[in-house]
Amino acid sequence: MEPLDLTPDMLLRAYAIGVFPMAEDRDDPDLFWIDPRMRGVIPLDGFHIPKRLRKTLRSNRYRVTFDRDFEGVMDGCAEATDRRPRTWINDKILTLYTALFRMNHAHSVEVWDNGRLIGGLYGVTLGGAYFGESMFSRERDASKIALCHLVARLTFAGYRLLDTQFVTKHLQNFGAQEVPRSDYRARLSEALNHDVDFFTSYSDGEMLRYLDSMD
């Protein structure tokens, strides 16, 4: 495949038809289109919260914010770790998705411990679809907490699709499943027809009731 020379508008058009870019490596300057035959999704009405994590969420030990430090989250996702020595987020990805954030087409979730960013995730939004890109943890459960708060926000806002691109064992614990490309594109088309507000507000009480409703 030929390397891509992308703009933010081109990137949004790509997401609208079900494809996304990745780099081979953090230090590789080139991007390539990805269009998986089997696509990862988390059904918002089938989200599962493990029992132990539910207790952590109820403890309110960590502070969770949205869009407070988008670039910090991207930097965290791009970090090499012992468990993840290679990442696909290169400088072009950082530049493009920061531009989407400024256009209100990308959003992040941050998890804080006494003012220190310990985990989070980011993704792209179009219509009623949220395309999860990457997540990271510097402390146990931090990315899982971010995911739970993301799903709550998407649910209250009326989103129709949470795209995870691929399915990992980690995401399977939350109800992630693979669907064929044709099925995914039908779900995407339906989701794009909905105009939603990512920052639809909800109370702490509503959040707790939402957690209780998850099996």
Side-chain angles (χ1 to χ4, degrees):
M1 293 184 291
E2 291 296 321
L4 303 176
D5 184 15
L6 285 176
T7 66
D9 286 336
M10 290 169 60
L11 188 53
L12 290 176
R13 290 198 294 271
Y15 275 95
I17 61 172
V19 298
F20 57 90
M22 293 183 73
E24 290 288 347
D25 192 81
R26 176 71 176 86
D27 297 322
D28 187 339
D30 296 326
L31 302 178
F32 301 93
W33 290 128
I34 306 295
D35 185 14
R37 182 180 63 84
M38 297 296 293
R39 192 69 166 243
V41 298
I42 295 180
L44 293 173
D45 60 355
F47 188 63
H48 171 71
I49 302 175
K51 185 175 181 180
R52 183 187 61 78
L53 181 61
R54 194 188 302 261
K55 292 180 180 179
T56 302
L57 288 164
R58 285 183 168 279
S59 72
N60 289 321
R61 176 181 175 185
Y62 303 120
R63 183 185 178 205
V64 178
T65 59
F66 297 87
D67 287 4
R68 179 178 171 184
D69 190 0
F70 185 87
E71 292 184 36
V73 169
M74 287 205 70
D75 287 340
C77 291
E79 287 176 353
T81 66
D82 291 340
R83 296 182 63 181
R84 187 178 60 178
R86 297 180 61 190
T87 69
W88 55 270
I89 301 173
N90 64 9
D91 289 343
K92 284 187 178 179
I93 292 284
L94 290 167
T95 298
L96 281 166
Y97 287 79
T98 299
L100 291 185
F101 171 69
R102 293 175 180 144
M103 296 165 63
N104 203 37
H105 277 295
H107 297 286
S108 60
V109 186
E110 301 89 19
V111 181
W112 307 87
D113 184 12
N114 293 319
R116 183 171 72 95
L117 183 63
I118 62 167
L121 60 82
Y122 76 96
V124 174
T125 56
L126 273 177
Y130 187 97
F131 308 87
E133 287 296 313
S134 188
M135 58 176 60
F136 79 101
S137 288
R138 292 174 179 147
E139 300 289 345
R140 182 180 181 179
D141 290 341
S143 65
K144 297 175 183 178
I145 292 168
L147 178 61
C148 291
H149 279 265
L150 171 70
V151 170
R153 181 162 292 281
L154 298 182
T155 299
F156 284 115
Y159 277 78
R160 302 303 179 97
L161 175 67
L162 173 52
D163 172 10
T164 67
Q165 299 179 346
F166 306 104
V167 172
T168 64
K169 289 183 178 180
H170 171 76
L171 292 175
Q172 283 179 327
N173 292 329
F174 294 90
Q177 58 186 233
E178 286 187 325
V179 298
R181 183 186 294 147
S182 59
D183 186 355
Y184 170 79
R185 288 180 175 170
R187 297 186 191 198
L188 173 60
S189 179
E190 194 277 334
L192 293 178
N193 288 325
H194 294 271
D195 184 19
V196 299
D197 180 5
F198 183 79
F199 283 103
T200 298
S201 63
Y202 53 89
S203 67
D204 291 343
E206 287 174 314
M207 175 65 173
L208 290 175
R209 286 192 292 274
Y210 168 79
L211 294 178
D212 287 338
S213 72
M214 297 297 100
D215 60 5

